[in-house]
Amino acid sequence: MILGIGTDLANIERIQGTLDRFGDRFRNRVFTEIEQRKAEHRADTAGTYAKRWAAKEACSKALGTGLRMGIAWKDMAVSNLGTGQPVMQVTGWAAERLREMTPAGHEAIIHVTLTDDHPWAQAFVVIEARALDGEGTPLTYPGPPRM
């Protein structure tokens, strides 16, 4: 079951301008240390930050709050699996909000995808509630019927 959907489009040049103007003050307010390390080791530093900015905005929309009601930028963080797939973790108020919106007997899964095509970076977030069995194990979807 889908609990929330959010998307955001960020201008990479705008993020670059903010980095140029505010530097560490901006980075430290918005991005976790992991996000900063990832961005600073990429050729397109501003593009990497812009995608993560868009992901945080999209996640806040999927949580149904936007960036209000106590949610903080660092309560939502993007990292990557070894395969490169982005993953979203939530902490603090964002994690509390996620628990509140997740029905009993379910676990919440946050799906995130990122893309960029200069000067734009985009993120899309879907929050899914996956049913658990009586022992807390996710129930698996058997897939489409075989023909």
Side-chain angles (χ1 to χ4, degrees):
M1 139 186 14
I2 303 298
L3 298 179
I5 299 172
T7 188
D8 193 68
L9 187 65
N11 185 288
I12 296 169
E13 293 169 0
R14 179 173 163 252
I15 296 297
Q16 181 65 65
T18 302
L19 288 164
D20 292 344
R21 185 170 178 201
F22 297 104
D24 286 342
R25 196 168 109 205
F26 171 65
R27 278 190 281 282
N28 294 332
R29 179 174 167 248
V30 175
F31 302 101
T32 65
E33 288 181 26
I34 292 170
E35 290 171 315
Q36 290 181 46
R37 275 197 307 271
K38 178 77 169 181
E40 297 300 326
H41 286 93
R42 298 303 272 295
D44 184 11
T45 302
T48 302
Y49 278 124
K51 286 185 281 191
R52 279 149 179 75
W53 171 279
K56 291 168 185 275
E57 288 273 7
C59 185
S60 70
K61 292 170 185 174
L63 289 168
T65 65
L67 287 163
R68 57 183 177 87
M69 297 175 59
I71 202 166
W73 287 105
K74 287 184 175 181
D75 285 348
M76 301 164 290
V78 178
S79 61
N80 296 83
L81 299 177
T83 61
Q85 176 184 348
V87 292
M88 176 73 71
Q89 298 89 27
V90 292
T91 58
W93 192 91
E96 183 180 319
R97 171 69 180 144
L98 184 61
R99 278 189 298 278
E100 289 172 3
M101 62 191 287
T102 304
H106 291 74
E107 68 173 340
I109 309 293
I110 302 174
H111 304 277
V112 60
T113 186
L114 308 172
T115 191
D116 65 290
D117 186 7
H118 197 86
W120 301 106
Q122 183 177 35
F124 193 75
V125 171
V126 175
I127 302 176
E128 170 193 8
R130 189 172 296 163
L132 301 172
D133 68 12
E135 297 174 15
T137 304
L139 296 173
T140 57
Y141 173 68
R146 295 182 184 246
M147 299 290 196

